[in-house]
């Protein structure tokens, strides 16, 4: 067996170790990533010391690029959520559309909300509102629940400042402004298309209330405490769009100037942009939260950031070890043909993302690990790296199931059975992943 193929075999074994550690020993996925990294490095000949150094360097490199931005992004989202601003945005989007488009507006509201906040927060905010609208429209539970899952999942997966899309520009070395623009456009289109496809499937009798809903739950639709005097939707959305505008300023500057002026480079840096967004969120939240409450909200956000940073860093460590082995070139040699290089790279990134998501249950791990592996591959192919990022992320969106916390949040909060969770969370995200893949393949061949 050739050296390239042996590296592939080692990678498969490392993935199997990761799966075994998570499923059978119930260890945290971050610990599983470190254990898999140790095996991969030692087996592929990096040596004991070299493997440890690779893990440390990979973790440190990822934290250097993303640690502060992720923390600031979480603070921003927590303040907007706790102040009631997120609810104001959602309510404004849903109430300003016609009854015919109400369920689509729920999906778009979820898409907007999940840009600054995590999936579970966006879901909790929208579930009571969406279920009420579903009852008014005489639509079964999976219609409003599925719309929320689709919009929130696509936004969380494709649009910075959530960890995966934020990491994409650093890992694959391209302009973050491009990731914001492409992620937002593709995500918006994919949200509408996926909701339509999912509703067509539901219209054909896919849902069975008797087996797919859990009638034993006392409070199936969750509850979010909204302050009495939340900021308006227009005010609350400022901290969300302001960082994106600042980052895009740098992208525009790259087109206008041979080299961006220092002030534009400074203002468009992701740390500065998200710092300004977090400060804006702090002032916006002042309408409904006093200083003590805002400080408490920020502190809770930082506590929640810990596990996200640990998993993100561990994913970077695993990716760095894989990259150190030269497996990127092995993948290029074995799987990517000269005749169909762009198609092969896009599909390879997609299916690797699917594999990692299915095994680990974490879209963050799936996206970051896949993009790190593909970083070396993409340099040898005539395709913009943003499309490799989109393929990796869309694969990481696929097949979330019982080893995914989002699955249980959706299932338990919405009052579904496990079968119902598979029919909403898993099915809708699978459709979304395929829709994004199709858009990515088109985009990669046009731009």
């Amino acid at each position: 067996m050739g050296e390239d193929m042996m590296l592939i075999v080692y990678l498969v074994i490392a993935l199997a170790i990761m799966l075994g550690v998570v499923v059978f020993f119930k260890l945290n996925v971050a610990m599983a990533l470190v254990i898999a990294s140790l095996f991969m490095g030692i087996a592929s000949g990096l040596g004991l010391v070299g493997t440890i150094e690779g893990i440390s360097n990979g973790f440190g490199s990822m934290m250097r690029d993303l640690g502060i931005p992720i923390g600031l992004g979480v603070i921003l989202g927590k303040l907007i959520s706790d102040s009631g601003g997120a609810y104001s945005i959602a309510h404004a989007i849903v109430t300003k559309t016609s009854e015919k488009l109400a369920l689509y507006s729920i999906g778009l509201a979820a898409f907007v909300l999940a840009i600054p906040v995590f999936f579970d927060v966006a879901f909790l905010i929208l579930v009571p509102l969406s279920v009420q609208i579903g009852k008014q429209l005489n639509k079964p539970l999976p219609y409003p629940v599925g719309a929320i899952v689709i919009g929130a999942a696509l936004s969380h997966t494709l649009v910075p400042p959530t960890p995966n899309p934020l990491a994409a520009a650093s890992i694959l070395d391209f302009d973050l402004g491009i990731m914001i623009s492409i992620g937002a456009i593709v995500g918006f289109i994919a949200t509408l298309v996926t909701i339509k496809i999912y509703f067509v499937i539901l219209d054909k009798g896919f849902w069975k209330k008797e087996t797919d809903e859990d009638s034993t739950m006392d409070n199936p639709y969750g509850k979010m405490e909204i302050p009495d005097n939340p900021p308006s939707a227009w005010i609350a959305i400022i901290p969300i769009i302001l960082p994106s505008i600042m980052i895009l300023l740098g992208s525009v500057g790259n087109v206008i100037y041979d080299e961006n002026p220092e002030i534009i480079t400074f203002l468009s840096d992701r740390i500065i942009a998200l710092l300004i967004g977090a400060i804006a969120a702090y002032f916006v939240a002042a309408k409904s939260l006093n200083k003590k409450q805002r400080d408490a909200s920020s502190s809770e956000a930082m506590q929640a950031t810990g596990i996200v940073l640990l998993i993100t860093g561990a994913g970077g460590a695993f990716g760095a070890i894989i990259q150190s082995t030269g497996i990127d070139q092995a993948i290029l040699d074995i799987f990517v043909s000269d005749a169909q290089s762009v198609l092969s790279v896009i599909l390879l990134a997609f299916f690797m993302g699917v594999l990692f998501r299915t095994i680990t249950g974490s879209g963050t791990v799936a996206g970051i690990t896949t993009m790190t592996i593909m970083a070396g591959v993409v340099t040898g192919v005539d395709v913009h790296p943003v499309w490799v990022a989109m393929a990796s992320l869309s694969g990481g969106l696929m097949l979330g199931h019982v080893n995914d916390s989002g699955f249980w949040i959706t299932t338990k909060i919405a009052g579904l059975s496990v079968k119902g969770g598979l029919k909403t969370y898993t099915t809708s995200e699978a459709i979304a992943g395929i829709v994004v893949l199709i858009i990515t393949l088109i985009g990669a061949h046009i731009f």
Side-chain angles (χ1 to χ4, degrees):
M1 186 179 294
E3 184 177 345
D4 287 348
M5 187 55 68
M6 282 304 301
L7 288 175
I8 302 296
V9 171
Y10 293 146
L11 177 60
V12 172
I13 296 173
L15 295 178
I17 290 172
M18 188 192 308
L19 177 62
V21 168
V22 172
V23 173
F24 296 109
F25 295 98
K26 309 299 182 185
L27 294 185
N28 183 275
V29 68
M31 297 176 68
L33 280 164
V34 174
I35 294 170
S37 300
L38 287 169
F39 168 81
M40 188 69 192
I42 295 170
S44 58
L46 296 182
L48 297 176
V49 175
T51 298
I52 292 298
E53 289 179 348
I55 291 173
S56 299
N57 291 337
F59 188 96
S61 177
M62 187 66 72
M63 288 300 96
R64 180 194 64 212
D65 291 337
L66 299 178
I68 295 175
I70 288 175
L72 292 171
V74 175
I75 291 173
L76 188 163
K78 182 76 168 137
L79 286 166
I80 294 299
S81 173
D82 288 352
S83 68
Y87 181 83
S88 296
I89 295 169
H91 193 267
I93 292 173
V94 172
T95 56
K96 292 185 183 299
T97 55
S98 65
E99 183 175 291
K100 183 178 180 181
L101 298 176
L103 291 175
Y104 288 89
S105 70
I106 291 171
L108 292 178
F111 183 82
V112 173
L113 289 192
I115 293 174
V117 305
F118 290 133
F119 173 92
D120 54 347
V121 177
F123 190 85
L124 285 168
I125 290 171
L126 281 170
V127 161
L129 178 63
S130 65
V131 169
Q132 180 183 0
I133 291 174
K135 288 180 177 179
Q136 292 175 354
L137 299 175
N138 197 29
K139 288 291 186 180
L141 195 57
Y143 285 84
V145 171
I148 299 172
V149 170
I150 291 165
L154 280 165
S155 175
H156 187 81
T157 302
L158 302 179
V159 186
T162 49
N164 259 2
L166 189 63
S170 296
I171 295 172
L172 294 170
D173 193 23
F174 66 95
D175 194 323
L176 181 59
I178 294 175
M179 188 67 221
I180 293 174
S181 302
I182 297 297
I185 293 170
V186 172
F188 179 84
I189 295 170
T191 296
L192 296 177
V193 172
T194 304
I195 290 174
K196 177 63 177 177
I197 294 171
Y198 184 61
F199 285 178
V200 169
I201 293 173
L202 291 176
D203 290 341
K204 294 185 179 297
F206 182 61
W207 191 258
K208 305 296 181 185
K209 181 179 176 66
E210 298 76 16
T211 59
D212 298 339
E213 296 182 27
D214 186 355
S215 60
T216 65
M217 293 193 65
D218 296 328
N219 179 30
Y221 304 131
K223 183 180 180 181
M224 286 291 291
E225 293 184 5
I226 308 300
D228 295 332
N229 188 31
S232 69
W234 291 110
I235 296 298
I237 204 169
I238 290 174
I240 298 175
I241 63 174
L242 186 58
S244 296
I245 292 174
M246 292 177 66
I247 292 169
L248 288 171
L249 179 66
S251 302
V252 174
N254 288 330
V255 175
I256 298 175
Y257 303 102
D258 292 333
E259 183 177 348
N260 266 338
E262 187 177 15
I263 184 64
I264 293 181
T265 302
F266 176 78
L267 291 175
S268 62
D269 184 87
R270 71 192 74 190
I271 294 177
I272 300 302
L274 284 164
L275 175 62
I276 296 299
I279 292 172
Y282 196 84
F283 283 104
V284 167
K287 190 171 189 296
S288 57
L289 302 177
N290 60 37
K291 184 179 184 303
K292 184 177 180 180
Q293 290 171 320
R294 283 176 284 162
D295 289 344
S297 179
S298 299
S299 297
E300 289 174 10
M302 290 311 299
Q303 292 173 16
T305 304
I307 187 62
V308 177
L309 292 177
L310 182 59
I311 293 175
T312 302
F318 186 44
I321 289 294
I322 291 173
Q323 208 168 37
S324 298
T325 66
I327 198 172
D328 50 0
Q329 187 59 46
I331 291 171
L332 190 65
D333 293 340
I334 294 172
F335 295 106
V336 182
S337 67
D338 293 333
Q340 293 181 307
S341 57
V342 173
L343 177 63
S344 300
V345 166
I346 295 297
L347 292 179
L348 179 61
F350 175 77
F351 286 113
M352 286 181 66
V354 174
L355 177 65
F356 283 118
R357 173 64 185 276
T358 306
I359 290 173
T360 66
S362 171
T364 300
V365 173
I368 288 176
T369 307
T370 302
M371 288 187 293
T372 305
I373 294 172
M374 297 302 296
V377 175
V378 72
T379 57
V381 183
D382 186 22
V383 59
H384 194 287
V386 70
W387 300 116
V388 177
M390 297 299 290
S392 304
L393 295 172
S394 63
L397 183 60
M398 297 278 292
L399 301 184
H401 55 95
V402 295
N403 66 346
D404 179 0
S405 61
F407 174 89
W408 292 111
I409 289 169
T410 301
T411 300
K412 296 304 180 184
I413 296 299
L416 310 176
S417 65
V418 172
K419 186 177 180 181
L422 293 170
K423 287 187 176 183
T424 50
Y425 186 83
T426 307
T427 302
S428 62
E429 285 194 351
I431 297 169
I434 293 171
V435 169
V436 174
L437 173 63
I438 293 171
I439 297 173
T440 297
L441 288 170
I442 295 171
H445 284 86
I446 295 177
F447 302 106

